[in-house]
Amino acid sequence: MKSSYPALQGAITVAISWISARLGILFFPVVILMLMMVIDYITGMLASQKEAIVHPEDPDCGWSSRKGVLGIIKKVGYVCIIVVAVSLDHIILQAAAPLGLDVPRGIFGLIVTVWFVLNEMLSIVENVGRMGAAVPPWLAKCVASLKDKIDQEADQNDAE
């Protein structure tokens, strides 16, 4: 099948390649985070709608544009925190180079991004449970445990 948009496909490929080159190790975690954000938003809306059907008399149940906008604002905040973490990585790398120090590249950005991915995954699991679907209890515990391990490692590194 011949594509009718080769220039558009080429532009998208170049853009993705450029972003991938700039993000380096963060590219796949950021892509996964964006996907998890979309899935979390959709499952949150569906869970709210299901609750509105089950509890029609409760005005707190159901999807509202206010809740939706607050969710989007929170996700924009996630991206801002990742930008701060990546900037911190860059500052440390630039400061360490003249001193001859060998520091790992992108550690703060990677840890923060993975933490947000796990946060979104936990929210998705909770939303699916609110929708009435069967959720393996160990799944939420596993995701929460991974998130806690990242928190513990970060706390240990702060103490040192």
Side-chain angles (χ1 to χ4, degrees):
M1 183 172 169
K2 187 175 179 179
S3 175
S4 58
Y5 302 105
L8 179 62
Q9 290 174 340
I12 290 170
T13 301
V14 167
I16 290 172
S17 297
W18 184 82
I19 292 168
S20 175
R22 295 287 160 236
L23 290 176
I25 194 170
L26 274 179
F27 180 71
F28 288 111
V30 166
V31 169
I32 292 169
L33 177 61
M34 296 300 160
L35 179 64
M36 291 298 115
M37 285 178 167
V38 170
I39 293 170
D40 178 48
Y41 191 78
I42 292 169
T43 58
M45 288 191 311
L46 292 172
S48 293
Q49 196 59 33
K50 190 256 183 184
E51 289 170 346
I53 292 169
V54 173
H55 305 287
E57 70 286 344
D58 189 350
D60 292 333
C61 290
W63 190 87
S64 72
S65 56
R66 182 176 186 275
K67 289 180 190 176
V69 169
L70 291 174
I72 291 171
I73 290 171
K74 181 175 77 170
K75 291 173 188 333
V76 169
Y78 288 179
V79 174
C80 292
I81 294 298
I82 291 169
V83 168
V84 168
V86 169
S87 298
L88 181 61
D89 284 331
H90 184 70
I91 290 168
I92 290 171
L93 193 62
Q94 293 301 312
L99 300 173
L101 299 174
D102 186 30
V103 295
R105 296 181 63 108
I107 192 74
F108 290 110
L110 185 60
I111 290 171
V112 169
T113 303
V114 170
W115 190 85
F116 282 132
V117 167
L118 293 170
N119 192 51
E120 291 294 302
M121 287 179 171
L122 190 57
S123 181
I124 292 167
V125 169
E126 291 168 354
N127 289 341
V128 170
R130 286 175 44 214
M131 290 169 19
V135 177
W138 54 266
L139 183 60
K141 288 179 187 174
C142 179
V143 173
S145 174
L146 288 170
K147 189 175 166 201
D148 289 343
K149 284 187 188 292
I150 291 174
D151 287 338
Q152 289 170 3
E153 287 295 321
D155 289 343
Q156 282 180 345
N157 287 336
D158 284 345
E160 293 175 358

